[in-house]
Amino acid sequence: MAEKLRDLSQPIDVPLLDATVAAFYGTGSKEERTAADQILRELQNNPDMWLQVVHILQNSQNLNTKFFALQVLESVIKYRWNALPVEQRDGIKNYISDVIVQLSSNELSFRRERLYVNKLNIILVQVAALQFGDFYDVQYVKMYTIFMMQLQTILPPGTNIPDAYANGSSEEQSHIRVLESTPENRAALLLGLEYLIGISYVDDTEVFKVCLDYWNILVLDLFEAHHNMDNPAATASMMGLQQNSEELFVYWYFWLSCTKHGYIVDITEFFLCYNIIYAFLSMVTTMGLELELSIQIRKKYEYEVVGMQGILPDGWQDKYINMKCEHTEILFSGCLKCKTPLVPGIADGLGSPLLQRRQLYSGPLSKLRMLMICRMAKPEEIMRETLIYLSHLDHEDTEQQENRFLVMVIRDLLNLCEITKGKDNKAVIASNIMYVVGQYPRFLRAHWKFLKTVVNKLFEFMHETHPGVQDMACDTFLKIVQKCKRKFVITQVGENEPFVSELLSNLPSTVADLEPHQIHTFYESVGQMIQAESDPTKRDEYLKRLMDLPNQKWAEIIGQASQSVAILKDQDIIRTVLNILQTNTSVASSLGTYFFPQISLIFLDMLTVYRMYSELISSTISEGGPFASRTSYVKLLRSVKRETLKLIETFLDKAEDQPHIGKQFVPPMMDPVLGDYARNVPDARESEVLSLFATIINNRYKGVMMEDVPRIFEAVFQCTLEMITKNFEDYPEHRLKFFSLLRAIGTHCFQALIQLSSQQLKLVMDSIIWAFRHTERNIAETGLSLLLELLKNFQISEFCNQFYRTYYLTIEQEIFAVLTDTFHKPGFKLHVLVLQHLFCLVDSGSLTEPLWDAATVPYPYPNNTVFVRDYTIKLLGSSFPNMTAAEVTQFVDGLFESRNDLPTFKNHIRDFLVQSKEFSAQDNKDLYAEEAAAQRERERQRMLSIPGLIAPSELQDEMVDS
């Protein structure tokens, strides 16, 4: 049997193929279905199988067999169409068209074969997408006739289709275009929305997607009018635009005509009609045809064309052009992508019609809210946006139901957790509870008793040792506290003291079963509460009570160390010290400046421990060699050093605008931290030292730090450069942090920088050049940003001539080198800014001396501009030997002509690069990254202007907690 089917040298045995397809779809044994599947796959993959399609379609009565044959044909159209001879392509087109016409010629055959006809329609659309030509001038007329017959077959007998859409006259047609302008149309509109609500409840997912897309568009239109109510100019512009150029899509016209004229058909047939309309329109628009093809067609089909104009929205060609329809889902949803506003009623003023519109739609929109909640609509992003718009239009409509629902869900989950047996089951319920409560901080803030119940339940979960439960409990607690912190520091109705005070009293038992990292999260959460306390006395008291446990342990260790330093070498003690420091860091990250009393208490002892561990690390590495730095003991010691630095940096970073803090904490660190860094072997130097001093300089301690810059420079500069300039791989953390420190000095302590010797300044400039040559993006961008800041600072300094005479040509040469290197495309924006600065500088008046050396350049240039132009032409000419001298000269002249206009200057450079041989064959999206980022930012700002459109978890700012 199989061999007979595989022999395609003669017409295929259609009855045998029908039997094979039936076996595949049938209820026979698994072996039979597997064998049939294997045969059908082999036939599909046979390159000659498509030649049997017509024979199969003509002789088979099995719909599944026909669809199998059409799948084979679709594959040929997609992947081999252009390789087929012209006569075979024409034969396929003519055959499909003839079958469609034949089956659509009477109601009986069309109803019986409507799925088959729809599939043929889609295949013809695919063919149309691949080939244009005079053939389709004829096919258009033929398919239009078919289209009208198909609609006539489905709609009730006697329906005048063109009249249903055109509505008889241009005057009546205009009333359809302004759907809300008359009571009659408003009644039809509301009736239609009710009908659409009914359709939205059907089980068919694709049908629901269509409805959901439409609802989203309608709600968005209403919301935008509501959102712009405070901006009369924008509202008037929007309303005028909609009235003059309405863009209702085909689906709406067709559906409206059905409801307005009483043609309410079965839902399945309704969407079949829509399928036919859209398939036909896709075929026409894919061919790029205009509605009015020619005078002959207009004369012959004048009446029908008028009807089509009633169906199609204005400007439909632009919106639907080149659409390719391959699946029913695309047929349903493709044309819903365009914006489809409903036109506001024509009335005097702005506020009145907007309020009238909201009142007009209040009933359907309320039902829509319930619909979406009941259906839990997908896709989620459409549902979420629509619900947000609905909330803004009327936030009170379903608020009570939602609140009751939330309370019911959480209470049921809490009860279920109590009665359920088994740790695994309890863990699942607990995770559900924590997820749900974490999503509704506003509700928790508004209901204190419920909030307290939830938090106490989280404390219970913190004793549950099932994997993951404690982690989630601590994370959820932090999430809730961040949004509700004020509620915990005020005495609530019915309470004797603030919740934070009660919590601190029971702190030891609450954290008894938590792991160290979970305790850190818990302490960060309580720190958030304390930070919300406005009374300094209470705040300091809460902090003291919070840190009581770690401070007791710290005092115990320091006391023992004063008796015998050797105790600090015990690994258990080292881990305890590390844990205490990490706990302090967590609280410092929450409290910021308010952490001052606590860090003052442990600061000097902490530096003593830091110095001791540093000396211990150095001696261990010196005795054991480089391998010793990778032992677990040394790693543990270094973890304490790093956490010490992190704690200090966290506190100083959060404690902005506090110069006195800098004066108090920086001097004691100079030798234990900076001196230690300079004395240590490379493998024992902590990169956190670099980031710490960068933070100190950046965070408004620059005035205090000015006199310390030379000492910082002496301690870290030379030794760090020796570590990072040997190659591009070693010490990756030191690289970025080193240049961040250098940038902080160059930005905030420039006066200290220019006091360096010429050798030291050359070292700085060489390191900057080395940085922006780096292939690591962060390092290169830091180097370029630092360079740009130094160039600007030197331009306005007394050393302008001296600096630029020494470094101008070197910088230009190096910038052009990375600009034309495809590995450095991400730095394009900064490359352009540096070059613009250099080209603008030469005639800005800042330079009063020539950039060239008269001893080595005999030609007497009239000014720096002419010299730089000539130098740049020679530089690029040698770098791009394939370019002619005229092309290089034209490019350089363009740079000078556009230097004062950054967008033009940037585009000129970008055009030059993308046309070059090196860039032309590559993906150059990085060259357009700035524009793409600006577009993303505009979209984000639009979303930020609509509260709720961006999820709270994605926002850095906190909710106002009052």
Side-chain angles (χ1 to χ4, degrees), residues 603-750:
F603 183 69
L604 294 180
D605 288 335
M606 189 168 61
L607 289 181
T608 301
V609 173
Y610 182 95
R611 185 198 297 270
M612 177 190 164
Y613 281 176
S614 181
E615 292 172 353
L616 187 56
I617 292 170
S618 295
S619 62
T620 303
I621 294 178
S622 298
E623 295 170 3
F627 176 76
S629 65
R630 293 188 287 274
T631 62
S632 59
Y633 182 65
V634 170
K635 287 181 178 180
L636 186 58
L637 291 172
R638 294 190 67 179
S639 294
V640 173
K641 287 183 63 179
R642 291 191 181 110
E643 194 60 38
T644 301
L645 296 169
K646 182 180 178 182
L647 171 56
I648 300 171
E649 182 179 348
T650 299
F651 170 66
L652 294 178
D653 185 40
K654 299 286 185 178
E656 295 185 357
D657 293 321
Q658 304 290 334
H660 66 280
I661 294 180
K663 292 179 182 178
Q664 178 175 342
F665 286 95
V666 173
M669 290 192 297
M670 296 303 283
D671 185 68
V673 176
L674 272 183
D676 167 72
Y677 186 93
R679 292 187 296 268
N680 249 326
V681 296
D683 285 343
R685 292 181 183 136
E686 310 301 339
S687 63
E688 286 78 8
V689 172
L690 305 175
S691 59
L692 170 60
F693 279 90
T695 298
I696 292 172
I697 293 173
N698 277 325
N699 284 13
R700 297 171 174 81
Y701 307 132
K702 43 190 173 289
V704 180
M705 296 299 299
M706 190 74 71
E707 59 188 28
D708 294 316
V709 169
R711 187 173 177 184
I712 297 173
F713 193 89
E714 180 182 354
V716 306
F717 201 84
Q718 183 71 43
C719 63
T720 306
L721 274 181
E722 290 174 356
M723 293 167 59
I724 66 176
T725 54
K726 292 180 181 179
N727 54 53
F728 281 167
E729 287 80 31
D730 293 343
Y731 306 105
E733 293 183 354
H734 291 73
R735 295 172 186 276
L736 183 58
K737 292 175 181 178
F738 171 76
F739 288 107
S740 297
L741 172 61
L742 192 57
R743 183 179 180 186
I745 294 174
T747 302
H748 301 297
C749 302
F750 180 72

Side-chain angles (χ1 to χ4, degrees), residues 749-813:
C749 302
F750 180 72
Q751 290 302 316
L753 199 61
I754 63 177
Q755 293 174 10
L756 298 174
S757 66
S758 58
Q759 291 81 9
Q760 288 176 317
L761 183 59
K762 184 178 187 307
L763 199 60
V764 172
M765 296 306 298
D766 288 346
S767 67
I768 292 174
I769 292 172
W770 183 90
F772 67 68
R773 283 178 180 173
H774 206 289
T775 53
E776 175 62 37
R777 180 171 182 168
N778 291 339
I779 296 175
E781 289 186 354
T782 302
L784 288 167
S785 299
L786 172 57
L787 173 63
L788 191 59
E789 290 167 2
L790 288 184
L791 292 178
K792 292 177 180 178
N793 286 332
F794 269 109
Q795 182 180 357
I796 58 177
S797 75
E798 56 185 307
F799 302 97
C800 178
N801 286 308
Q802 181 181 347
F803 173 81
Y804 280 103
R805 190 167 59 246
T806 305
Y807 296 107
Y808 185 101
L809 299 182
T810 300
I811 292 171
E812 182 186 356
Q813 179 179 346

